[in-house]
């Protein structure tokens, strides 16, 4: 199982904000149990999607050299449910960023309706300690993140060339 | 320049958000860790919120000096803060009230210095020096 809960970035402004989408498919295993006959996207996985959108946004500022870990979620509300068949739009915005960590505001909508509003706090793992524990390998940002950003980059260049040729 | 009461009210509101505590639980003398249940990661969250709330910059280690005494035998001996350590505390944290702590300077009680009052005094000093 791959732990990547966003499908694609559709907007990315370095150090400021990012928008990602997540298509909810009935084929995803969790919908079978959550709940039988009533396929609701678990709130925890929506939070995870927002944390991945925000975490990548924060990580990109330092070219993914920092190990960005979710430290706490001071606030989270889920005003309505999202169902299989819908597309979630995840918006993350950096509220605060400094060498020790970052605070991010996140919103998720489904078909334009607000389904989640959260604040997420990320810490940069202490560089000395994490190097001793994990070495140089950045286990937080793996190949899937590179794929997502590569896709975003090619999309942006396609848009840019379409704009200049038109 | 806001009054001390106004600063205290805003500091309380910040702690309500950062620590998810009820406003009624907060007293000027409440300790962040002991009374309000703050954990290490909460301190950075509090710093972020104070910066936003008051429009100030709080340099790393200024409000919450990180492990001020770690591994320095000049500052700590037999689990107690030495005179030199107390002087260091006074220099690094002029906004701290060392009154009770000085009488029985056990290292384990250092965290009790960090009260709602202490943050209020720190912010007051910060705003008046702007």
């Amino acid at each position: 199982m791959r732990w990547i809960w966003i499908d694609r970035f559709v907007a990315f402004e370095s150090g400021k904000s990012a928008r990602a989408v997540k298509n909810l498919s009935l084929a995803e295993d969790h919908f079978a149990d959550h709940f039988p006959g009533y396929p609701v996207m678990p709130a925890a996985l929506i939070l995870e999607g927002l944390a991945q959108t925000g975490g990548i946004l924060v990580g990109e500022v330092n070219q993914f050299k920092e190990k960005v870990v979710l430290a706490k979620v001071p606030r989270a509300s889920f005003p309505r449910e999202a169902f299989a068949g819908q597309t979630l739009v995840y918006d993350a915005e950096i509220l605060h960023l400094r060498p020790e960590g970052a605070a991010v505001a996140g919103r998720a909508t489904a078909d334009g309706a607000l389904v989640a509003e959260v604040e997420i706090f990320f810490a940069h793992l202490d560089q000395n300690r994490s190097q001793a524990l994990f070495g140089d390998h950045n286990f937080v940002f793996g190949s899937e993140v590179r794929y997502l950003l590569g896709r975003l980059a090619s999309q942006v260049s396609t848009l840019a060339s379409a704009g200049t040729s038109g | 320049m806001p009054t001390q009461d106004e600063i205290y009210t805003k500091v309380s509101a910040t702690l309500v958000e950062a620590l998810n505590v009820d406003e009624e639980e907060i007293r000027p003398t409440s300790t962040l860790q002991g009374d309000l249940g703050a954990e290490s990661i909460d301190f950075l969250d509090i710093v972020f919120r104070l910066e936003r709330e008051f429009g100030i910059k709080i340099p790393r280690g200024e409000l919450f000096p990180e492990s001020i005494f770690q591994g320095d035998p000049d500052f700590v001996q037999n689990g107690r803060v030495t005179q030199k350590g107390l002087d260091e505390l006074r220099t690094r944290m002029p906004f701290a009230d060392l009154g009770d702590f000085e009488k029985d300077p056990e290292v384990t009680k250092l965290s009790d210095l960090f009260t709602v009052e202490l943050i209020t005094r720190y912010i007051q000093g910060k705003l008046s020096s702007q």
Side-chain angles (χ1 to χ4, degrees):
Chain A
M1 180 174 166
R2 290 181 183 280
W3 195 251
I4 185 84
W5 289 95
I6 51 184
D7 293 336
R8 188 160 68 94
F9 279 102
V10 291
F12 202 99
E13 193 175 350
S14 181
K16 285 192 171 165
S17 63
R19 170 175 283 185
V21 292
K22 158 75 185 155
N23 294 304
L24 304 182
S25 165
L26 198 51
E28 287 169 37
D29 283 345
H30 55 89
F31 283 124
D33 302 311
H34 194 282
F35 297 93
Y38 192 72
V40 181
M41 182 64 169
L45 291 179
I46 296 177
L47 179 59
E48 176 66 27
L50 283 167
Q52 292 187 358
T53 308
I56 292 169
L57 176 65
V58 170
E60 192 268 345
V61 176
N62 296 304
Q63 289 78 50
F64 303 105
K65 291 195 182 93
E66 295 280 356
K67 294 179 179 71
V68 178
V69 293
L70 192 154
K72 73 181 233 189
V73 179
R75 189 171 58 80
S77 64
F78 302 91
R80 62 197 297 165
E81 295 164 325
F83 297 92
Q86 288 189 300
T87 297
L88 288 175
V89 177
Y90 292 142
D91 279 302
E93 184 196 346
I94 293 182
L95 297 172
H96 223 113
L97 176 75
R98 47 193 259 179
E100 307 98 292
V104 166
R107 285 174 105 248
T109 56
D111 298 328
L114 186 69
V115 295
E117 203 161 19
V118 304
E119 202 178 307
I120 304 173
F121 198 84
F122 295 98
H124 289 151
L125 269 194
D126 181 284
Q127 294 201 349
N128 301 321
R129 256 187 304 173
S130 75
Q131 177 140 25
L133 285 171
F134 305 109
D136 284 330
H137 174 63
N138 194 333
F139 59 90
V140 179
F141 299 110
S143 57
E144 283 149 345
V145 168
R146 287 198 293 277
Y147 162 76
L148 284 172
L149 289 170
R151 206 174 154 193
L152 175 74
S154 66
Q155 192 185 349
V156 169
S157 61
T158 308
L159 288 173
S161 60
T164 50
S165 64
Chain B
M1 170 94 189
T3 65
Q4 190 179 345
D5 276 356
E6 285 164 348
I7 295 173
Y8 175 79
T9 307
K10 277 189 178 183
V11 167
S12 299
T14 301
L15 295 175
V16 167
E17 282 178 19
L19 304 176
N20 211 4
V21 290
D22 288 333
E23 210 173 336
E24 299 80 65
E25 288 179 58
I26 299 178
R27 309 244 176 286
T29 54
S30 303
T31 60
L32 299 185
Q33 284 178 293
D35 295 331
L36 303 177
E39 294 177 28
S40 59
I41 195 64
D42 294 320
F43 289 101
L44 186 55
D45 188 13
I46 292 169
V47 164
F48 278 9
R49 286 172 197 277
L50 291 173
E51 286 194 344
R52 290 205 293 273
E53 185 65 46
F54 291 99
I56 53 175
K57 283 272 163 248
I58 302 178
R60 185 174 190 169
E62 189 177 272
L63 173 56
F64 303 118
E66 288 158 39
S67 49
I68 181 169
F69 299 123
Q70 231 174 32
D72 193 332
D74 276 356
F75 293 153
V76 182
Q77 272 165 23
N78 304 322
R80 294 171 75 79
V81 178
T82 61
Q83 190 54 48
K84 197 171 172 192
L86 288 169
D87 292 343
E88 174 78 0
L89 264 184
R90 238 177 253 118
T91 314
R92 292 279 299 272
M93 301 173 62
F95 45 87
D97 178 6
L98 298 182
D100 282 345
F101 181 74
E102 241 174 336
K103 289 176 206 151
D104 184 18
E106 260 184 63
V107 172
T108 51
K109 289 188 185 155
L110 258 180
S111 68
D112 292 345
L113 288 177
F114 295 93
T115 60
V116 183
E117 265 173 342
L118 173 137
I119 298 182
T120 306
R121 272 198 302 273
Y122 170 80
I123 298 285
Q124 219 178 354
K126 205 76 187 158
L127 290 175
S128 63
S129 68
Q130 271 185 341

